Amino acid sequence: MDQAEQLRNIIKASAQKSRPLARVITVTSGKGGVGKSNTAINLAIQLKQMGQRVIILDADFGLANIEIMFGAIPKHNLSDLIYQGKNIKQIITWGPGNVGFISGGSGIAGLSNLSRDYLNYIIQNLEELDTIADIIIIDTGAGISDAVLEFLVASGEILLVTTPEPTSITDSYSLVKALNRHPRFNREYSRLKVIANRVETVEEGKELFQKLDAVVSRYLKIPIEYLGPIPYDSQLSKAVMQQMPVSLQNPGAKSAQAYERIAAVLMNKESNKNLVKRGMAAFFTHIVNGKKMG
């Protein structure tokens, strides 16, 4: 039996278990510096305040944006689970607002060489993560690297953060284009949602989305949704400097209120009626499946 067949059997056995499934939301951007990690953190805080149990996976390997913004240094990371035998609870760090986060560490390179027993161990731990969290937010790296695309094609819900800068809009389109070209991207499975960050007015946010939607609809034929705008806010910058999410430090700030509105849209029952929760184990096996089959 080859590794691909082993993995299929593990996935099949995992799928047959009756267990809770977390909602996995992946936050991404076409370029760096557009506020992606800030968006991931503040949405996590707002969703937590709405009664959801939330964990962030910092998948921006090589950078430690989430832990820096949280002002907390994790003892362990995802690599310790995969390669050092730590369990899922040992690698979760609890930050401000009682939001958990998992540092990605050096990433998931070498997954194709893991044994069946190791894959079983990892998947069992990720199944447990589904019982710990209602929502798992994955903060990817910026841009169009293979690692970022692997996370995106595995995700049923993608939040694309962009700004009014022409380069940001262009890079956002390039990311959607690269995603569309990926052999394992399924437009029926993945819902693409846009957040307009650092806008001066609500109208500027709508115009930004309309520009991106026009080219995506014309050339890629992919439906995208608009979640809403986040205004440029000096209070957010102050919060970042003090390593505290603006949603906790200054809940009345314009940006914090905007994050609250977007979190409310994400939790809207009507907009989520066709959303299927597949859980973290399924997300992970989709990535490993691609590495083994590719």
Side-chain angles (χ1 to χ4, degrees), residues 27 32-45 56 58 60 63-74 93-97 99 101 139-140 197-198 236-249 259:
V27 183
V34 301
K36 171 181 57 62
S37 295
N38 246 318
T39 298
I41 287 173
N42 282 285
L43 285 179
I45 296 291
I56 303 173
D58 188 352
D60 192 352
L63 298 175
N65 288 343
I66 299 296
E67 59 194 74
I68 290 172
M69 292 179 182
F70 263 174
I73 301 173
T93 300
W94 296 97
V99 170
F101 78 93
D139 181 29
T140 75
N197 195 29
R198 297 181 190 151
L236 188 148
S237 301
K238 289 180 180 178
V240 169
M241 293 299 292
Q242 295 174 16
Q243 293 181 276
M244 179 65 69
V246 69
S247 293
L248 289 177
Q249 188 188 68
Y259 286 124

Side-chain angles (χ1 to χ4, degrees), residues 220-285:
L220 304 178
K221 306 292 192 295
I222 296 176
I224 60 175
E225 305 170 35
Y226 184 45
L227 285 180
I230 306 293
Y232 176 81
D233 186 7
S234 61
Q235 295 301 315
L236 188 148
S237 301
K238 289 180 180 178
V240 169
M241 293 299 292
Q242 295 174 16
Q243 293 181 276
M244 179 65 69
V246 69
S247 293
L248 289 177
Q249 188 188 68
N250 190 347
K254 293 185 298 180
S255 55
Q257 293 178 344
Y259 286 124
E260 183 179 4
R261 286 191 292 272
I262 289 178
V265 173
L266 286 171
M267 294 305 297
N268 182 279
K269 289 182 179 179
E270 183 64 26
S271 63
N272 290 328
K273 61 183 179 182
N274 296 320
L275 190 68
V276 178
K277 293 181 182 179
R278 291 176 174 84
M280 193 61 191
F283 180 91
F284 176 82
T285 50

Side-chain angles (χ1 to χ4, degrees), residues 132-288:
I132 297 171
D134 300 306
I135 298 175
I136 299 165
I137 295 178
I138 297 177
D139 181 29
T140 75
I144 314 175
S145 70
D146 289 342
V148 169
L149 290 174
E150 287 293 338
F151 278 101
L152 298 185
V153 298
S155 181
E157 201 168 356
I158 301 167
L159 272 55
L160 175 58
V161 181
T162 189
T163 72
E165 293 179 17
T167 53
S168 178
I169 299 172
T170 301
D171 288 338
S172 293
Y173 172 74
S174 296
L175 176 63
V176 179
K177 184 178 179 180
L179 185 61
N180 187 51
R181 287 179 171 176
H182 195 286
R184 292 187 298 115
F185 175 65
N186 184 345
R187 64 179 64 199
E188 301 298 322
Y189 167 70
S190 299
R191 294 173 64 175
L192 194 55
K193 306 176 181 183
V194 176
I195 294 174
N197 195 29
R198 297 181 190 151
V199 297
E200 296 292 342
T201 64
V202 171
E203 290 72 25
E204 185 180 33
K206 289 179 180 177
E207 289 174 8
L208 189 164
F209 173 74
Q210 287 166 356
K211 287 178 184 177
L212 184 59
D213 186 39
V215 291
V216 170
S217 298
R218 179 176 179 181
Y219 296 108
L220 304 178
K221 306 292 192 295
I222 296 176
I224 60 175
E225 305 170 35
Y226 184 45
L227 285 180
I230 306 293
Y232 176 81
D233 186 7
S234 61
Q235 295 301 315
L236 188 148
S237 301
K238 289 180 180 178
V240 169
M241 293 299 292
Q242 295 174 16
Q243 293 181 276
M244 179 65 69
V246 69
S247 293
L248 289 177
Q249 188 188 68
N250 190 347
K254 293 185 298 180
S255 55
Q257 293 178 344
Y259 286 124
E260 183 179 4
R261 286 191 292 272
I262 289 178
V265 173
L266 286 171
M267 294 305 297
N268 182 279
K269 289 182 179 179
E270 183 64 26
S271 63
N272 290 328
K273 61 183 179 182
N274 296 320
L275 190 68
V276 178
K277 293 181 182 179
R278 291 176 174 84
M280 193 61 191
F283 180 91
F284 176 82
T285 50
H286 193 288
I287 292 174
V288 181

